[in-house]
Amino acid sequence: MKPSGGDVAAHLLGVTPERRRADAEILIDLMREISGREPVLWGTIIGFGSCHYRYPTDTEGDCGILGFAPRKAATTIYLLDGVDAHAEELARLGPHTTGVGCLYVKRLEDVDLDVLRGILTRSLAWVEGGGSEGMRLTVTG
């Protein structure tokens, strides 16, 4: 995946419902603060920074270091180190569901933002540390 070059502010104008748009603005501020990087659109994903990943199978690509997508049903927060790495914190986060590398939040106001900040900070450190044998990462931006 590559950055699409789209305008993040214009993208947010089309996000529905309104709650998702408000949550997106909070997440942009949070991820900007944690990563020290500006938001960039990767299709419909709002990403911060960039990295190159490679699996042992030689499958490889590029993605944001931190990122999320404000979807109609829930906001999807992407965790490159996977949700299992954050099991203890997720137990304290508040209402959410998960996939292998995705955290789904319906209402950001219902979760503990300090816990979310910790999850994102740890995930960023994992990426900047190069990932793991199962997923090698190189920060490129």
Side-chain angles (χ1 to χ4, degrees):
M1 179 183 278
K2 298 283 182 200
S4 61
D7 184 306
V8 173
H11 175 69
L12 288 180
L13 291 175
V15 170
T16 58
E18 171 63 34
R19 170 182 318 285
R20 211 71 67 228
R21 186 169 37 252
D23 286 354
E25 294 190 12
I26 292 168
L27 283 172
I28 285 172
D29 289 343
L30 183 62
M31 290 187 183
R32 178 187 285 134
E33 176 189 324
I34 291 167
S35 71
R37 295 165 172 95
E38 291 301 313
V40 173
L41 275 180
W42 297 67
T44 59
I45 296 171
I46 299 170
F48 295 79
S50 60
C51 66
H52 185 79
Y53 62 86
R54 180 186 301 259
Y55 291 102
T57 60
D58 287 334
T59 300
E60 61 184 300
D62 299 294
C63 63
I65 295 171
L66 290 178
F68 73 96
R71 308 278 188 230
K72 188 170 287 224
T75 297
T76 303
I77 300 169
Y78 299 97
L79 301 172
L80 292 178
D81 54 343
V83 296
D84 289 346
H86 306 282
E88 186 177 308
E89 293 93 340
L90 289 172
R92 298 189 329 267
L93 180 63
H96 69 278
T97 56
T98 60
V100 174
C102 299
L103 171 62
Y104 304 102
V105 176
K106 289 189 181 210
R107 298 171 56 106
L108 205 55
E109 68 187 27
D110 292 342
V111 302
D112 186 326
L113 287 181
D114 288 333
V115 172
L116 181 58
R117 177 188 309 279
I119 290 168
L120 294 170
T121 299
R122 280 188 53 206
S123 186
L124 174 65
W126 184 84
V127 171
E128 290 178 332
S132 67
E133 288 184 28
M135 182 187 214
R136 299 302 312 157
L137 296 161
T138 304
V139 173
T140 57

